[in-house]
Amino acid sequence: LHGYIAQATSNLNTEEFVEFALEFKKRKKSSKVTYVLWALGFPFGLHRFYTGHYGTGLGLLAITFATFGIGAIAGLYDVVNIKRLLEEPNSKIALEIVKEIKFINGEWH
């Protein structure tokens, strides 16, 4: 388990954890999709838009257009950042799901 998932689910019982796992599988941002978007559109920041990093996605897009494509070199670097780019949105999704499960079960404090 990723550290953020272990931390978010530490107070869930087995039934709640199963519910969490099924829901997280549906909602999480996929590393495969992120890599495909990076491969197809790293100069335009497609992978950053997918992971919810809209500001840096727009920045990458602007740099690419402003430099007539030379700025796309910055997008190449992101292949080593994909794991980090996924951590933030997926940890938010995990916490959201835990809150929903606890709220539905009447345990939200």
Side-chain angles (χ1 to χ4, degrees), residues 59-73:
L60 190 53
L61 183 63
I63 289 170
T64 298
F65 280 115
T67 62
F68 301 102
I70 296 171
I73 295 169

Side-chain angles (χ1 to χ4, degrees), residues 35-52:
Y35 279 108
V36 168
L37 289 173
W38 176 85
L40 296 175
F42 69 85
F44 310 108
L46 295 181
H47 57 291
R48 286 192 170 262
F49 288 108
Y50 173 72
T51 59

Side-chain angles (χ1 to χ4, degrees), residues 11-103:
N11 293 327
L12 298 179
N13 63 37
T14 305
E15 184 180 309
E16 291 170 333
F17 184 80
V18 169
E19 184 180 348
F20 168 85
L22 293 171
E23 194 61 30
F24 186 73
K25 186 176 180 180
K26 285 190 248 177
R27 291 195 215 175
K28 73 176 182 162
K29 299 292 182 181
S30 164
S31 60
K32 289 177 186 174
V33 170
T34 306
Y35 279 108
V36 168
L37 289 173
W38 176 85
L40 296 175
F42 69 85
F44 310 108
L46 295 181
H47 57 291
R48 286 192 170 262
F49 288 108
Y50 173 72
T51 59
H53 296 90
Y54 304 111
T56 55
L58 284 172
L60 190 53
L61 183 63
I63 289 170
T64 298
F65 280 115
T67 62
F68 301 102
I70 296 171
I73 295 169
L76 282 171
Y77 173 73
D78 269 347
V79 75
V80 299
N81 278 331
I82 288 178
K83 182 178 176 185
R84 184 188 55 79
L85 290 172
L86 288 167
E87 203 167 280
E88 182 185 343
N90 283 339
S91 65
K92 287 180 181 178
I93 290 167
L95 288 173
E96 203 174 276
I97 294 168
V98 168
K99 286 178 184 177
E100 291 169 8
I101 290 169
K102 289 296 189 180
F103 183 77

